[in-house]
Amino acid sequence: IAVDVSCPSKNPANCYSNFMVECFGRLANNYPQHQFIYFVDSHFDDSVITAKNITVLAISPYSNTALRKYWWHKIKLPALLKKYNASVFVSGNGVGASSGVPQCLIVSKSLWLPAFFKKANSLVALSHFYKEKIVHAYSIPKEKIQVIYPAIPPVFKPIH
């Protein structure tokens, strides 16, 4: 399972990486028979990796230029998915060119990805509000979109 944990935004508040690390870290711990590959930025803190079945692969820094985006989505990403024999690809930054690998796009408040909505095999919205917004604004079938709420990080504990 390949997971894009890179953060194309310079503002960490606009980044999915914390959600992705938390969500897929829990999945990796619960499903040790599966292998997870994190595509990360060079500045990724791998001390947050808690499962032995997660491989961290530093990719070249993501760029917001059109040429670099094209190169990543059309050439580099499909090549990496093939090289690592990925069964599925999950990202909050867009999906790659047709690679034969099912791709799931995680969508929150950044709706700048409508070009990827139809390409993705499935979509995950982080609220019902965004699911409905995608369905109505982009004519995406409701069945293609699942809602998964972000989890509370384990650092938060009840006060006794």
Side-chain angles (χ1 to χ4, degrees), residues 45-94:
D45 177 13
D46 62 358
S47 68
V48 298
I49 303 299
T50 59
K52 295 182 192 291
N53 56 335
I54 297 174
T55 302
V56 176
L57 179 64
I59 57 173
S60 57
Y62 194 92
S63 174
N64 286 329
T65 67
L67 184 58
R68 294 276 301 186
K69 282 183 185 180
Y70 178 86
W71 175 81
W72 170 250
H73 292 291
K74 298 284 187 185
I75 298 166
K76 184 69 173 175
L77 178 58
L80 287 171
L81 296 176
K82 183 177 180 179
K83 178 179 179 180
Y84 290 96
N85 198 24
S87 298
V88 67
F89 174 64
V90 182
S91 176
N93 298 320

Side-chain angles (χ1 to χ4, degrees), residues 38-147:
Y38 283 6
F39 297 148
V40 302
D41 297 303
S42 55
H43 63 273
F44 181 76
D45 177 13
D46 62 358
S47 68
V48 298
I49 303 299
T50 59
K52 295 182 192 291
N53 56 335
I54 297 174
T55 302
V56 176
L57 179 64
I59 57 173
S60 57
Y62 194 92
S63 174
N64 286 329
T65 67
L67 184 58
R68 294 276 301 186
K69 282 183 185 180
Y70 178 86
W71 175 81
W72 170 250
H73 292 291
K74 298 284 187 185
I75 298 166
K76 184 69 173 175
L77 178 58
L80 287 171
L81 296 176
K82 183 177 180 179
K83 178 179 179 180
Y84 290 96
N85 198 24
S87 298
V88 67
F89 174 64
V90 182
S91 176
N93 298 320
V95 295
S98 177
S99 63
V101 176
Q103 300 182 47
C104 178
L105 182 63
I106 297 188
V107 183
S108 178
K109 41 190 180 180
S110 297
L111 294 179
W112 60 273
L113 302 166
F116 296 118
F117 291 169
K118 291 191 182 352
K119 283 184 180 180
N121 296 77
S122 62
L123 299 171
V124 172
L126 302 183
S127 73
H128 282 288
F129 172 79
Y130 291 112
K131 176 179 179 173
E132 292 302 317
K133 192 170 181 177
I134 293 166
V135 167
H136 295 298
Y138 304 105
S139 302
I140 303 295
K142 282 186 176 189
E143 303 79 42
K144 189 174 179 177
I145 307 170
Q146 298 297 317
V147 176

